[in-house]
Amino acid sequence: MIAAGPFVAVIVAFAGIYTAVSGRLPDPLATHFRFGGQADGFSSVQGFLTGCLALFLLLGAVVGFLVQVRPAAPEVPWVIAGGYATVALTGYTDCVTLLSNVDAADASAVRVPPWELFLGLAVALCAGALGRLLAGAAPVAPGQPRGAVSRLGLPATATAGWSRTIASPPLAVLGGLLLAGGLLIGLFADWIASAGLLFGAAVSLPLASVRVTVDRRGLTLAPALLSSRCRFRRIPLDRIEEAGSRHVACFAEFGGWGYRIRANRSGFVLRSGEGIVVRLANGREFVVTVDDAATAAALLNTYTDRAHSRQGG
């Protein structure tokens, strides 16, 4: 499988280098370096090997999961490319770390030249480009015509509401892994060192499940895991010109998942597919990918027409 190829290749290369130099390594190893190249972190040989192998397997599992969840999604080629780049940079760094420790009498004297970092980034870019090339063209999903709009036949005195929850299993898995890693590092090592992982979990988990609501107040996005008073975004009716629904290509239009901002548009996109497209009074668009988007857009247009009528618009 194309997605798994780089992970297998990196594990084989890393294992081969270790086998060749295992008798010439100090214990502990220098495993972390300042930007100037001086060693400032150390680990046992066994601990370093275990950590590297676990990281390779974890990265491979995450990429494999993302690809298998929606194999026909337009963003899959970019996920594969990202996997190639990530494992290439990680593998290059780990291999350089091993080779830098060879024949060192004292791990504290080990140095890694700063240019190795830039070379590693170049390797990652080349690997990512190769992954994107091997992944082939993104599948094209049929969608509704752009700008298709409608209204619900709601009696003038009646009110209605629409709500759906959008979820991202990959983001939930990522948030869970960050949380677990942060807690383990905090409990067994240092809470300061785990702060970055815990912060990532605090950002990822609320975004993994979001409730989208359309009612007489407008369009609202709120995290399903938190109180309804916590909102990511609310667009009131007086800021809306018109709403429609169409197919949204996550990577092609927004360059990724999550809350995205582009020229003249923004959006909350957790996948490619059906989405609500709201044209705002300032000329910008707001997009949210969600099931049954056509019904939501029609109800939003009905409420928007009412609001404009009351304002004399």
Side-chain angles (χ1 to χ4, degrees):
M1 183 179 178
I2 291 175
F7 298 93
V8 175
V10 166
I11 290 175
V12 170
F14 181 76
I17 290 174
Y18 172 72
T19 301
V21 303
S22 59
R24 302 163 57 193
L25 295 173
D27 196 351
L29 297 172
T31 55
H32 190 273
F33 304 87
R34 302 190 189 99
F35 183 74
Q38 297 84 3
D40 64 353
F42 306 90
S43 171
S44 67
V45 173
Q46 187 60 46
F48 179 68
L49 294 178
T50 302
C52 290
L53 180 59
L55 181 58
F56 295 148
L57 294 176
L58 176 61
L59 290 173
V62 170
V63 171
F65 177 79
L66 294 176
V67 171
Q68 292 301 317
V69 166
R70 298 191 63 195
E75 58 265 28
V76 163
W78 293 104
V79 172
I80 293 175
Y84 272 65
T86 302
V87 76
L89 178 60
T90 305
Y92 180 87
T93 302
D94 291 341
C95 290
V96 166
T97 298
L98 272 183
L99 292 173
S100 298
N101 279 273
V102 171
D103 295 330
D106 181 2
S108 62
V110 175
R111 299 287 186 273
V112 173
W115 56 262
E116 290 281 9
L117 172 62
F118 299 103
L119 185 56
L121 293 175
V123 169
L125 287 174
C126 291
L130 176 63
R132 183 63 185 84
L133 181 64
L134 294 177
V140 178
Q144 299 184 30
R146 187 183 184 95
V149 298
S150 60
R151 270 76 176 162
L152 281 186
L154 201 63
T157 58
T159 59
W162 175 97
S163 184
R164 291 289 187 279
T165 298
I166 52 176
S168 172
L171 201 56
V173 171
L174 175 62
L177 291 173
L178 290 173
L179 179 61
L183 292 175
L184 288 174
I185 292 175
L187 289 172
F188 296 103
D190 183 5
W191 285 107
I192 295 178
S194 70
L197 294 176
L198 294 176
F199 176 77
V203 172
S204 302
L205 289 174
L207 291 175
S209 182
V210 174
R211 179 161 290 277
V212 184
T213 302
V214 173
D215 55 23
R216 56 188 177 82
R217 293 170 293 185
L219 175 67
T220 304
L221 277 69
L225 298 177
L226 301 178
S227 166
S228 59
R229 295 182 180 180
C230 300
R231 297 188 294 269
F232 287 136
R233 182 77 186 267
R234 169 171 285 174
I235 304 178
L237 297 174
D238 58 7
R239 293 187 54 206
I240 298 174
E241 288 292 331
E242 196 169 52
S245 63
R246 62 173 172 83
H247 182 273
V248 178
C250 183
F251 269 75
E253 295 186 47
F254 292 96
W257 300 308
Y259 195 97
R260 316 295 291 184
I261 299 176
R262 290 291 183 270
N264 299 319
R265 65 172 57 182
S266 59
F268 186 75
V269 288
L270 292 184
R271 58 168 173 77
S272 294
E274 187 180 6
I276 305 169
V277 182
V278 179
R279 183 160 55 88
L280 305 176
N282 61 7
R284 293 177 59 85
E285 277 188 353
F286 181 78
V287 176
V288 54
T289 51
V290 64
D291 292 333
D292 195 27
T295 301
L299 179 59
L300 198 55
N301 283 329
T302 298
Y303 279 128
T304 300
D305 290 345
R306 290 183 183 181
H308 290 174
S309 296
R310 289 195 298 268
Q311 295 169 3

